[in-house]
Amino acid sequence: MPTLGMTSTFLLLLLLATLFHLSHGDVGTCAHYRPPYLPTACYGNSPSHFPSSNMFAAAGERIWDNGAACGRQYLVRCISAAVPGTCLPDQIIQVRIVDRAQTSRSRPSSNGATIVLSSTAFETIADPSATSVNVEFLQVL
């Protein structure tokens, strides 16, 4: 049985997802990266800041903001790709920034991306064989 806290969180995310479609966040490119994820530019060798869901990302230079991006959370959805059918329709994820793409230990699948998702996060919104996709993203925290 869901708790009141879980229900409230779900309703808030549902509301944000609905507004996200109406407000149209920023648009950029998205790549993915695989383990090893440590150390990170944000938290060094501490895995404690990684969400248990593995929905995290490294910030590209456009959103890095001299390290202020660390801990920020974004709603992200795939909007297009070079190969039709790459984006998984109606999938919106929430990710936490834990690293800087330019200095991440594991190299991104595509250089110069706005946001680089963990492999788990990327596979939720797009075909994992893609090196990059175009995304819409909105900072939520």
Side-chain angles (χ1 to χ4, degrees):
M1 174 180 250
T3 66
L4 182 58
M6 286 174 47
T7 303
S8 297
T9 301
F10 175 76
L11 290 174
L12 177 61
L13 286 174
L14 184 61
L15 175 65
L16 287 172
T18 302
L19 293 174
F20 185 52
H21 281 289
L22 299 175
S23 67
H24 301 290
D26 290 324
V27 175
T29 57
C30 176
H32 55 90
Y33 69 138
R34 300 191 181 288
Y37 296 119
L38 292 174
T40 71
C42 294
Y43 307 112
N45 283 308
S46 175
S48 64
H49 295 278
F50 285 75
S52 60
S53 64
N54 289 321
M55 297 297 222
F56 57 86
E61 293 307 295
R62 181 173 158 198
I63 62 172
W64 176 243
D65 196 14
N66 292 319
C70 294
R72 287 182 184 159
Q73 295 190 36
Y74 291 88
L75 292 176
V76 181
R77 74 179 181 105
C78 184
I79 56 173
S80 67
V83 176
T86 300
C87 292
L88 299 177
D90 301 321
Q91 294 297 314
I92 299 173
I93 58 172
Q94 183 170 341
V95 295
R96 178 182 303 146
I97 300 296
V98 297
D99 204 355
R100 181 182 187 187
Q102 186 175 4
T103 60
S104 65
R105 182 168 180 200
S106 175
R107 301 310 323 157
S109 59
S110 179
N111 291 326
T114 306
I115 192 165
V116 180
L117 300 176
S118 66
S119 54
T120 301
F122 191 87
E123 292 169 6
T124 304
I125 63 167
D127 183 321
S129 66
T131 56
S132 73
V133 295
N134 297 314
V135 293
E136 184 175 38
F137 61 98
L138 179 68
Q139 184 180 339
V140 291
L141 296 175

